């Protein structure tokens, strides 16, 4: 019997700390050895000319989410995980919903059963929208014991948002149980006030979404979330930072020793108001929250990646197709201010479901705009794409690393491959990509998940149901 089930041979390995030449020997789905001239494995994969990174970990994506009105996001676990793997992401964390007025157990029945169809490894953050004593004192501890070790709260969206008093109770519970709290930071009342004024002035186009949610509403809520977390002495992760104003609040808090981390997404690094202004309702394809900013903001967010303020790039993938959900006023839950339809039947800006698809394009866009264009080096790419999220969310040593004992989740990047992104070539279930026609340099040609070749040259080989639930510590 050979020592290794698989040897990935002759690649340039990139970890969160260094870049070096080596082979990787895999046994029983885990990395067994890293070194030069390893003995032959039962299976051999050549990585000559390739960069080998840990598999991506996308710690923020909405997959097959169920809303209380009976709706379900169009992206299924089978399709979303195929897209993840094809884009170099071997594990993701999505959301267990809580419907207001319901216990955790009674919200989204059957959701965990749906997740069994995943081809990639997966875990959950628990959304808390209704922090009753029963939820905080009984249900959350039981969930934590099952390995769901992080909570998500919204400071905007009705009926998802928490008041400050509710948020404080969630923070205190997380502190008691040692959980991470992730936060969507925007000021609900300020957005509502702006929406009312814009609608009264007859502004209904998708661009008004950005006018209703300017950077100051994100900055205020980011500051408030940090201040309340500081009061409780509970670490938080600020999700999807879109602008310098919010990032600066995080940097200031980090400088005074507060345990706050920041995440951003490829949309805030590459897209802008110009996209929201596209004619024929096409701007709806770019409605997400926080909103896209003016073009100059992209480079300011890159600077906050470069100075270490923002340490994670997630997709915030949402399954809303242009032909269906994006045109259904109020559908999908993530909207604010009522279901206002316009004369042509399309929704006014405030009723367009918020969210863009990006689970497959996250890493190619980050690699190309970051590594290939010289904005970041390879270890930074690894930290942003997997390693930092793994340590923040209790998967350190298992995901996001190339080291003996870690899961053999590997991505072989062809750094010279030039591609143009087209939706037809993607594996998600959504009918568009915000990066249609976007040119990238660098492409994940082989994705290996726990020692098995899951994707080769765009063909997804991993079967639905082959992903595993990741209980986190
Ligand atoms: N932002 C989005 O754009 N969609 C879903 C949730 C969120 O916070
Ligand atoms: Zn959010
Ligand atoms: Zn989200």
């Amino acid at each position: 019997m050979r020592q290794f089930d698989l040897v990935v041979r002759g690649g340039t390995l990139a970890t969160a700390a260094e870049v070096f030449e080596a082979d990787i020997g895999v046994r029983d789905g885990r990395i067994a050895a890293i070194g030069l001239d390893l003995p032959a494995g039962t299976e051999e994969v050549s990585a000559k000319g390739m960069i080998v990174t840990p598999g991506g970990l996308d710690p923020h994506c909405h997959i097959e989410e169920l809303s209380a009105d009976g709706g379900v996001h169009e992206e299924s676990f089978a399709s979303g995980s195929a897209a993840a793997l094809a884009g170099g992401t071997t594990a993701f964390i999505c959301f267990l919903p809580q419907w207001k007025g319901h216990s955790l157990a009674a919200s989204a029945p059957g959701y965990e059963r749906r997740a069994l169809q995943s081809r990639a490894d997966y875990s959950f953050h628990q959304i808390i929208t209704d922090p009753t004593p029963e939820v905080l004192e009984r249900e959350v501890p039981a969930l934590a014991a099952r390995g769901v070790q992080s909570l998500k709260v919204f400071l905007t969206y009705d009926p998802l948002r928490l008041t400050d008093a509710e948020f404080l109770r969630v923070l205190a519970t997380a502190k008691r149980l040692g959980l991470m709290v992730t936060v969507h930071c925007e000021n609900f009342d300020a957005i509502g006030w702006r929406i009312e004024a814009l609608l009264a002035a007859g502004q209904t186009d998708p661009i008004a979404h950005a006018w209703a949610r300017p950077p100051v509403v994100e900055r205020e809520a980011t500051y408030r979330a940090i201040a309340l977390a500081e009061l409780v002495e509970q670490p938080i992760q600020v999700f999807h930072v879109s602008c310098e104003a919010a990032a600066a609040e995080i940097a200031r808090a980090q400088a005074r020793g507060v345990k706050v981390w920041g995440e951003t997404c490829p949309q805030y690094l590459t897209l802008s108001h110009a996209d929201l202004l596209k004619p024929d309702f096409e701007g709806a394809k770019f409605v997400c929250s926080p909103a896209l900013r003016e073009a100059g903001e992209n480079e300011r967010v890159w600077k906050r990646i470069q100075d270490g303020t923002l340490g994670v790039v997630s997709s915030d993938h949402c399954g809303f197709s242009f032909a269906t959900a994006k045109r259904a006023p109020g559908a999908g839950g993530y909207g604010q201010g009522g279901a206002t339809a316009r004369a042509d039947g399309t929704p006014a800006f405030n009723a367009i479901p918020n969210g863009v698809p990006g689970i497959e394009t996250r890493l190619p866009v980050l690699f190309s705009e970051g590594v290939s264009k010289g904005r970041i080096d390879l270890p930074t790419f690894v930290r942003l794409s997997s390693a930092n999220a793994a340590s923040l969310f209790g998967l350190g040593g298992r995901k996001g690393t190339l080291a003996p004992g870690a899961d053999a989740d590997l991505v072989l990047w062809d750094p010279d491959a030039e591609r143009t992104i087209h939706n037809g070539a993607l594996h998600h279930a959504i009918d568009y990509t915000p990066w249609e026609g976007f040119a990238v340099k660098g492409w994940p040609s082989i994705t290996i998940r726990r020692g098995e070749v899951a994707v080769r040259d765009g063909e997804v080989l991993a079967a639905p149901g082959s992903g595993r639930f990741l209980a986190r510590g």
Side-chain angles (χ1 to χ4, degrees), residues 74-441:
E74 291 166 55
E75 195 73 85
S76 72
F77 277 93
S79 60
S81 60
L85 291 167
T89 290
T90 48
F92 58 80
I93 310 179
C94 56
F95 298 93
L96 285 167
Q98 184 192 13
W99 300 338
K100 229 183 183 79
H102 293 72
S103 66
L104 302 186
S107 301
Y111 188 68
E112 290 184 58
R113 214 168 44 245
R114 289 171 181 255
L116 296 175
Q117 289 304 304
S118 183
R119 306 166 202 255
D121 291 351
Y122 63 95
S123 191
F124 305 114
H125 305 292
Q126 175 65 60
I127 293 174
I128 302 288
T129 62
D130 201 353
T132 63
E134 170 70 4
V135 165
L136 296 184
E137 283 156 31
R138 202 186 60 76
E139 289 201 285
V140 171
L143 208 63
R146 287 204 290 121
V148 177
Q149 295 265 337
S150 46
L151 307 175
K152 160 86 187 269
V153 304
F154 293 89
L155 301 185
T156 195
Y157 295 129
D158 212 7
L160 302 175
R161 77 192 173 103
L162 299 187
T163 63
D164 289 351
E166 291 169 328
F167 180 37
L168 283 163
R169 288 206 290 277
V170 172
L171 289 167
T173 299
K175 183 180 181 192
R176 185 164 53 83
L177 298 172
L179 310 181
M180 176 59 83
V181 176
T182 66
V183 193
H184 178 124
C185 295
E186 289 184 293
N187 182 306
F188 173 78
D189 288 316
I191 293 168
W193 179 73
R194 296 277 290 196
I195 289 174
E196 251 181 65
L198 285 159
L199 291 177
Q203 300 284 0
T204 60
D205 287 348
I207 183 64
H209 173 74
W211 300 338
R213 314 170 92 104
V216 64
V217 307
E218 184 183 348
R219 187 191 77 198
E220 185 280 332
T222 303
Y223 171 78
R224 182 162 35 100
I226 292 169
L228 298 181
E230 207 173 343
L231 178 69
V232 178
E233 297 182 347
Q234 163 61 33
I236 58 168
Q237 162 87 328
V238 178
F239 267 173
H240 44 45
V241 174
S242 75
C243 58
E244 162 59 20
E249 295 298 343
I250 295 171
R252 256 196 294 281
Q254 288 170 340
R256 61 178 188 271
V258 178
K259 288 192 174 147
V260 52
W261 289 271
E263 168 203 273
T264 189
C265 314
Q267 45 272 37
Y268 303 118
L269 296 169
T270 57
L271 306 175
S272 69
H273 279 198
D275 297 293
L276 284 162
L277 281 163
K278 289 194 170 145
D280 302 324
F281 195 58
E282 293 254 335
K285 292 178 175 175
F286 302 89
V287 167
C288 58
S289 286
L292 300 181
R293 305 301 180 195
E294 295 190 47
E297 205 64 27
N298 298 143
E299 227 38 67
R300 292 186 198 107
V301 180
W302 274 113
K303 284 217 163 59
R304 288 304 187 176
I305 281 182
Q306 288 158 340
D307 76 6
T309 304
L310 304 175
V312 172
V313 173
S314 75
S315 68
D316 198 4
H317 179 86
C318 280
F320 302 127
S321 278
F322 183 57
T324 50
K326 286 282 186 187
R327 290 167 189 277
Y334 296 110
Q336 185 169 330
T340 330
R342 306 193 290 177
D344 66 359
T346 58
F349 71 89
N350 61 305
I352 299 167
N354 291 195
V356 298
I359 200 167
E360 186 165 351
T361 44
R362 174 182 77 116
L363 295 187
V365 169
L366 182 64
F367 190 100
S368 180
E369 291 294 306
V371 178
S372 304
K373 291 198 174 165
R375 289 184 174 105
I376 54 173
D377 60 14
L378 280 167
T380 305
F381 173 77
V382 171
R383 290 196 293 275
L384 294 169
S385 59
S386 62
N388 285 351
S391 39
L392 273 176
F393 293 114
L395 292 168
R398 191 165 166 198
K399 302 291 187 189
T401 181
L402 301 180
D407 284 353
D409 291 347
L410 312 171
V411 184
L412 277 58
W413 290 86
D414 178 348
D416 300 318
E418 300 197 19
R419 302 281 173 90
T420 301
I421 293 173
H422 289 300
N423 198 56
L426 300 180
H427 298 76
H428 62 196
I430 311 310
D431 66 0
Y432 81 98
T433 167
W435 288 277
E436 185 68 40
F438 195 89
V440 294
K441 183 170 179 204

